[in-house]
Amino acid sequence: MSIAAQPKTVTLDHFTASGDELPLLRISTAGSVDDGKSTLIGRLLFDTKAILEDHLDDVKNSKVNRASRGIDLSLLTDGLRAEREQGITIDVAYRYFSTARRKFIVADTPGHEQYTRNMATGASTSDLAVILIDARKRFLEQSKRHAFISWLLGVRTLVFAINKMDLVDFSRQIFAQIREQSNTLLSLLDGVQVHFIPVSALDGDNIVTKSSRTPWYDGPPLLEILEAAQPGVDVTALPLRFPVQTVIRPDSDFRGFAGQIASGRLRVGEEVTALPGGQKSRVARIVTFDGDLDEAFAPMSVNLVLADERDIARGDMIVTASKEASQAQTVEATVVWMNEEPLVAGRSYLIHQGPRVVSARVSRILHRWDVEKLETRDTSSLSLNEIGVLEIEASEPLLFDPYRENRATGGFIVVHRISNLTLGAGLIERKSLNVSGRGPLLPEERLQLRGHSGAWVDLSQAHELIDAVERALLTEHLHVVRTEQPELRRFGLIVLTLGYHQGTPDVVVDRSDLHSAIVAIRASTILGALHVFGEREGI
Amino acid sequence: MSQSFVLSHLRALEAESIHILRETASQFCNPVLLYSIGKDSSVLVHLARKAFYPGKFPFPLLHIDTTYEYPEMIEFRDRFTNEIGAELRVYTNQDAINAGANPYNLGTAKCCHLLRTSALVAGLREGNYDAAIGGGRRDEEKSRAKERVFSFRDRAGRWEPRNQRPELWNFYNGAVNPGESIRVFPLSNWTEIDVWRYIELENIPVVPLYFAKPREVIVRGQTLIPLQSNVKLLSGEQPEMICCRMRTLGCTPCSGAIRSEAGTTRSIIEEIISFRRSERENRLIDHDQEGSMELKKREGYF
Ligand SMILES: Nc1nc2c(ncn2[C@@H]2O[C@H](COP(=O)(O)OP(=O)(O)OP(=O)(O)O)[C@@H](O)[C@H]2O)c(=O)[nH]1
Ligand SMILES: [Mg+2]
């Protein structure tokens, strides 16, 4: 019997949601140790009636209770013995709940610095991060690190929950101060949607219903924000990416490439390219157990049959021929390091991009992030929980899109060759450039050699700050000049001007403090260079 | 009419589980599917058939038989595995049984340790499996909520919850050295309701014990214990006829039935929606002491 003969067919409605089903929202928590993340999630679960009675009894009967009054809701997610004994979260807990409007998966992550890797695990798949801040404390480094990692990992909605408001008399001033303190960080994180809410996780203020104890707060409670939030980007609108997991060959007539569509849509007859080989073919069949489909989309798991015999194996990627993914052996990537043994330049590791496994060497570390100061620093190694930008040389081509463009194809994990441990998470920024060429420098080469893009900084309203600005930028090894020729920014220089000129400056420094001026300049140059490569070429 | 490109909730869960099962088949030399005969196992087997269609079923099924299972379960097991053409392997801790292990004189905790946990670890070692797929879900119990989809076990089969491999995106690192193994949980993100809705949607066969009908039971405390050959009556206990069903399956002495009129998948779904208590509540073994599931898991229990 041949399977190819007379396949049964099925329509796409068999798989799609009915019209009123809102897409599931994945949420993760973040923040410093003891800020109240687990208590907040417990409160959310409790107030939406997602807790079963015997699970609640278990919490009530537990020998541990750290809550100053009532039941200790953090125990609803802190389920490990060590967690209850030490009163901290160690690993992510996944919880599921739904309201009349939508379904949620919550990842409650640890705040303790030692377990940052578990926080990153939770954030990697999340659409929205709730970042907790203890109202009695400042905006701490760990909260910054978590917000920053969440953003790096592609979380684009950040809800800052200023917690324990009951301990500061629901002070409007304190809320405003913390909000102010987060501005520096937020100026670096482009493309995010931000909310601030004053809450008490312990008492339930502004979690599910609006609190009467914060009359000055005019926003919605947390649950309403969660119900209304947009899940990240629509992956089905991105170009087709289909990493091949396995080849299914029941007999000589059938050869199917099985995998889960990572992004995009796919139609029978469509022209596709198999990477890394680059061979082209057409989609002949989209096979599922339920029947053949004419069309499929991410994240469906399907089995593709191509029109021509193609040598495709696990770890290859089938992509739309109209917009292929990048392939490169040398790439630049931001890496969050997750192991006690530091990452060292020159060392070799395995890289897993889902089913694709390649051997790779860290050829250099461009810099690491100082999360406290939000600046970059030179380094030759990355220690546990540090974040750096590396150049990686792989033994075979990596197949990718920049992580910022496609979360499903831009990430990788770093694996130890002998212990097999997962050592870090990487986010590919771009193909590394070869800068040893001749002739005029390309804008991207210049960007890479200088390490930042150019900018015109207009100091006409703040003459007195120019010396301090110049010093601060030189300390960071940035290419800065004082001249009245703003057009020099084209060559990757940071130009400080005092007079009036035609055109639009990148940064206008007014009489506010020096620090915010530096942050603004840095944001428009370093991060611009790091991430939005090419966007500023035109200047 | 414009086409919507959003998967339904169940189809999204299905796609994720299929991806996990295909990763398991590809990453390991000798994987096995732990088949407990329960509803989650039925769903798991169904998903594995889908994942490799039109290829053949890729995993042998391993049943850890405590010899205290309900006879209806064994009947179902033999019929179901035969129908789908899967290879069934059965393992029993015969040494412990021969030495007289039973729940009545050892207590449920110790008995379960010998006949399930140790038997499982020994069965996996005997088969030299580098991956064992189980139907565990994160919504079942507080320590399961913490577990990875690919969950590492050291040479002794132990889980170290304080030091799990980070698991980012849907990238599952299954690399192991000889003697080490991975427990794979493709249903991690499913809830009890999802499982029943999927059973309804796909018409998946499950053991009839899940459906309510009048059964002879002993009422012991809060639980109903169906009268089966192995159950010993305590003094003063009288069997009664009660309409009931099992919410989870296990050994006869340890898993109780609940009073219920739900005789169809649909009515079970409605019943669960109205429930305010968890399915594991009627499993005596999970409640021997605080964190008892975690302790069992650390020793190698699923
Ligand atoms: N007064 C008051 N106490 C709170 C509030 N929220 C949390 N707490 C207390 O703060 C302590 C820490 O709470 P957790 O929820 O465990 O904190 P966490 O952020 O989850 O901690 P880690 O996960 O270990 O980082 C507990 O004693 C809580 O009872 C609040 O709104 N008000
Ligand atoms: Mg916590």
Side-chain angles (χ1 to χ4, degrees):
Chain A
M1 180 202 76
S2 165
I3 294 145
Q6 285 298 311
K8 69 173 171 179
T9 58
V10 62
T11 59
L12 210 49
D13 326 338
H14 183 75
F15 293 91
T16 51
S18 60
D20 51 354
E21 196 175 322
L22 263 180
L24 172 119
L25 191 79
R26 291 173 181 263
I27 305 164
S28 57
T29 60
S32 304
V33 70
D34 270 356
D35 282 348
K37 297 175 289 299
S38 302
T39 307
L40 178 114
I41 295 308
R43 170 58 68 183
L44 198 56
L45 296 170
F46 184 77
D47 286 357
T48 54
K49 314 238 171 345
I51 301 300
L52 298 168
E53 284 166 15
D54 55 309
H55 289 168
L56 198 60
D57 292 345
D58 169 77
V59 166
K60 286 182 185 155
N61 298 335
S62 169
K63 293 190 270 306
V64 182
N65 185 344
R66 291 184 311 127
S68 37
R69 50 189 171 270
I71 45 177
D72 186 346
L73 293 168
S74 71
L75 301 183
L76 288 168
T77 56
D78 287 345
L80 296 176
R81 291 163 72 96
E83 291 179 324
R84 292 186 172 193
E85 279 156 19
Q86 295 173 37
I88 55 164
T89 304
I90 292 174
D91 212 329
V92 208
Y94 293 92
R95 300 293 309 233
Y96 308 83
F97 78 102
S98 49
T99 64
R101 291 176 67 189
R102 80 193 305 179
K103 290 192 166 65
F104 300 92
I105 299 185
V106 190
D108 179 34
T109 76
H112 200 290
E113 184 169 358
Q114 189 187 345
Y115 303 113
T116 302
R117 55 175 170 244
N118 298 334
M119 177 267 154
T121 291
S124 68
T125 49
S126 111
D127 302 306
L128 176 150
V130 182
I131 298 160
L132 275 271
I133 293 171
D134 185 332
R136 297 168 304 173
K137 300 181 191 158
R138 283 177 52 84
F139 190 37
L140 300 174
E141 175 179 352
Q142 185 67 347
S143 315
K144 280 188 206 167
R145 173 182 283 115
H146 280 188
F148 189 61
I149 292 177
S150 303
W151 174 79
L152 277 177
L153 285 168
V155 182
R156 287 294 174 265
T157 308
L158 305 181
V159 179
F160 288 87
I162 317 303
N163 188 32
K164 309 199 185 180
M165 290 301 288
D166 55 301
L167 299 178
V168 296
D169 291 329
F170 293 89
S171 156
R172 181 180 197 164
Q173 284 71 27
I174 289 182
F175 178 73
Q177 275 163 19
I178 293 176
R179 204 178 163 143
E180 189 70 30
Q181 283 161 10
S182 63
N183 280 342
T184 325
L185 172 74
L186 291 175
S187 66
L188 289 183
L189 312 185
D190 54 322
V192 289
Q193 243 219 299
V194 184
H195 303 266
F196 286 87
I197 320 180
V199 300
S200 167
L202 188 70
D203 298 334
D205 296 80
N206 293 328
I207 306 291
V208 167
T209 48
K210 262 190 89 137
S211 169
S212 59
R213 300 199 279 184
T214 51
W216 43 267
Y217 170 70
D218 54 10
L222 178 63
L223 185 65
E224 261 176 48
I225 294 179
L226 302 181
E227 286 185 322
Q230 292 292 324
V233 279
D234 174 11
V235 289
T236 70
L238 297 172
L240 169 73
R241 304 291 182 245
F242 183 77
V244 175
Q245 287 185 278
T246 181
V247 183
I248 294 184
R249 285 212 83 148
D251 59 42
S252 55
D253 292 338
F254 187 93
R255 185 176 163 86
F257 304 107
Q260 184 172 18
I261 304 175
S263 67
R265 300 166 196 166
L266 170 78
R267 287 196 71 89
V268 168
E270 178 174 341
E271 194 185 19
V272 291
T273 309
L275 297 178
Q279 300 177 83
K280 297 209 167 18
S281 183
R282 287 187 183 279
V283 178
R285 289 176 61 190
I286 303 171
V287 179
T288 74
F289 180 88
D290 299 5
D292 275 25
L293 284 160
D294 284 338
E295 190 171 18
F297 60 90
M300 292 172 72
S301 280
V302 295
N303 196 349
L304 293 191
V305 179
L306 299 186
D308 316 272
E309 272 284 313
R310 289 290 179 246
D311 179 22
I312 298 172
R314 173 172 167 83
D316 293 354
M317 199 194 291
I318 296 174
V319 303
T320 176
S322 63
K323 191 171 192 315
E324 295 179 2
S326 304
Q327 42 177 326
Q329 272 174 249
T330 312
V331 298
E332 270 176 44
T334 299
V335 167
V336 183
W337 196 245
M338 301 177 166
N339 199 262
E340 284 73 15
E341 190 189 309
L343 170 140
V344 181
R347 224 170 257 171
S348 162
Y349 301 97
L350 288 176
I351 283 190
H352 292 217
Q353 286 186 292
R356 188 169 183 80
V357 178
V358 300
S359 163
R361 199 176 72 91
V362 176
S363 40
R364 58 196 179 107
I365 303 180
L366 305 178
H367 53 251
R368 72 172 178 85
W369 277 97
D370 175 338
V371 184
E372 167 81 74
K373 300 226 161 50
L374 296 166
E375 292 166 0
T376 57
R377 305 236 178 282
D378 288 343
T379 183
S380 57
S381 69
L382 282 188
S383 323
L384 179 67
N385 300 324
E386 285 189 336
I387 303 163
V389 180
L390 327 175
E391 185 181 74
I392 290 168
E393 280 175 25
S395 57
E396 286 167 68
L398 294 162
L399 312 174
F400 68 95
D401 297 285
Y403 189 79
R404 298 195 120 212
E405 286 168 25
N406 194 334
R407 223 173 158 184
T409 54
F412 60 83
I413 54 174
V414 182
V415 175
H416 195 281
R417 287 171 177 284
I418 296 165
S419 70
N420 301 313
L421 292 177
T422 302
L423 304 174
L427 316 166
I428 301 180
E429 307 288 351
R430 56 169 175 256
K431 211 182 259 199
S432 249
L433 296 162
N434 180 357
V435 288
S436 59
R438 289 158 191 239
L441 277 169
L442 296 170
E444 54 268 34
E445 285 180 304
R446 185 176 290 121
L447 197 58
Q448 192 177 39
L449 287 169
R450 290 204 186 275
H452 60 85
S453 66
W456 167 17
V457 182
D458 175 357
L459 287 139
S460 57
Q461 299 162 54
H463 284 202
E464 66 282 10
L465 287 182
I466 192 162
D467 297 320
V469 168
E470 187 180 9
R471 279 177 187 282
L473 295 179
L474 281 172
T475 323
E476 291 183 32
H477 306 287
L478 303 184
H479 300 86
V480 55
V481 287
R482 301 163 71 139
T483 161
E484 296 306 314
Q485 292 173 277
E487 64 279 11
L488 289 181
R489 66 178 168 179
R490 280 176 50 217
F491 302 107
L493 297 175
I494 300 175
V495 184
L496 310 182
T497 59
L498 292 172
Y500 293 93
H501 303 276
Q502 285 279 316
T504 317
D506 298 291
V507 179
V508 179
V509 180
D510 57 23
R511 282 173 204 278
S512 63
D513 66 321
L514 174 69
H515 186 67
S516 27
I518 301 298
V519 168
I521 296 168
R522 210 188 288 125
S524 79
T525 56
I526 298 187
L527 266 170
L530 197 68
H531 297 292
V532 272
F533 184 69
E535 223 167 70
R536 303 169 57 83
E537 276 169 8
I539 326 168
Chain B
M1 191 196 84
S2 80
Q3 177 69 57
S4 119
F5 293 106
V6 178
L7 278 187
S8 75
H9 178 63
L10 288 179
R11 294 298 176 200
L13 288 171
E14 176 186 64
E16 178 185 67
S17 302
I18 288 176
H19 174 257
I20 295 165
L21 288 161
R22 286 172 174 167
E23 277 307 294
T24 312
S26 308
Q27 290 193 36
F28 299 94
C29 309
N30 194 17
V32 69
L33 193 149
L34 260 294
Y35 180 68
S36 74
I37 321 181
K39 62 182 190 308
D40 304 299
S41 283
S42 284
V43 167
L44 210 48
V45 169
H46 184 76
L47 289 164
R49 291 175 74 193
K50 286 195 157 190
F52 300 93
Y53 174 85
K56 72 173 182 45
F57 194 85
F59 311 110
L61 307 183
L62 177 64
H63 177 223
I64 302 299
D65 192 349
T66 62
T67 71
Y68 287 94
E69 326 264 16
Y70 288 90
E72 277 174 75
M73 289 168 67
I74 304 298
E75 274 164 38
F76 178 87
R77 174 193 77 186
D78 294 340
R79 187 161 25 87
F80 184 63
T81 51
N82 187 34
E83 260 168 35
I84 60 166
E87 181 198 339
L88 176 70
R89 300 176 186 174
V90 180
Y91 186 89
T92 300
N93 187 350
Q94 205 55 55
D95 291 347
I97 303 254
N98 292 347
N102 71 60
Y104 311 106
N105 44 27
L106 288 185
T108 55
K110 194 156 184 191
C111 175
C112 191
H113 175 78
L114 288 168
L115 298 186
R116 281 193 190 278
T117 314
S118 304
L120 176 62
V121 173
L124 292 177
R125 187 172 300 130
E126 191 191 71
N128 219 354
Y129 302 111
D130 50 1
I133 308 162
R137 291 179 279 111
R138 286 173 176 154
D139 83 324
E140 276 178 77
E141 201 271 342
K142 57 183 181 288
S143 64
R144 285 200 200 273
K146 297 270 164 180
E147 195 156 10
R148 302 284 190 254
V149 172
F150 269 37
S151 184
F152 180 80
R153 293 295 186 278
D154 65 14
R155 285 194 169 77
R158 277 186 306 244
W159 180 49
E160 182 40 86
R162 304 193 53 165
N163 201 8
Q164 303 190 74
R165 290 182 181 176
E167 190 167 77
L168 292 104
W169 307 289
N170 60 352
F171 296 178
Y172 305 109
N173 175 4
V176 288
N177 288 325
E180 300 167 344
S181 63
I182 300 282
R183 299 281 169 86
V184 180
F185 298 103
L187 304 182
S188 286
N189 290 326
W190 296 55
T191 64
E192 186 189 12
I193 286 272
D194 295 329
V195 167
W196 280 109
R197 290 208 165 117
Y198 190 68
I199 287 170
E200 182 186 41
L201 179 74
E202 296 279 294
N203 223 335
I204 299 170
V206 292
V207 182
L209 282 165
Y210 282 114
F211 300 102
K213 70 169 191 193
R215 291 185 169 88
E216 270 204 295
V217 297
I218 302 164
V219 183
R220 189 175 289 170
Q222 298 277 52
T223 35
L224 309 179
I225 304 178
L227 196 64
Q228 298 283 355
S229 52
N230 284 324
V231 174
K232 292 200 180 126
L233 282 105
L234 302 180
S235 69
E237 283 181 338
Q238 281 292 322
E240 291 173 50
M241 245 346 215
I242 293 178
C243 190
C244 62
R245 66 180 202 86
M246 307 286 292
R247 202 168 164 196
T248 59
L249 298 182
C251 295
T252 45
C254 294
S255 33
I258 52 167
R259 284 169 204 268
S260 166
E261 303 283 326
T264 62
T265 315
R266 186 86 294 240
S267 50
I268 288 176
I269 294 169
E270 278 156 19
E271 186 184 86
I272 296 170
I273 293 173
S274 72
F275 272 165
R276 300 304 309 149
R277 306 187 75 86
S278 83
E279 63 190 304
R280 291 211 151 247
E281 186 183 36
N282 297 311
R283 296 195 51 146
L284 308 180
I285 53 159
D286 297 345
H287 304 287
D288 299 334
Q289 52 175 300
E290 189 173 353
S292 64
M293 171 70 99
E294 178 185 343
L295 288 178
K296 275 199 283 290
K297 283 175 67 63
R298 293 178 71 148
E299 291 163 358
Y301 183 73
F302 244 80

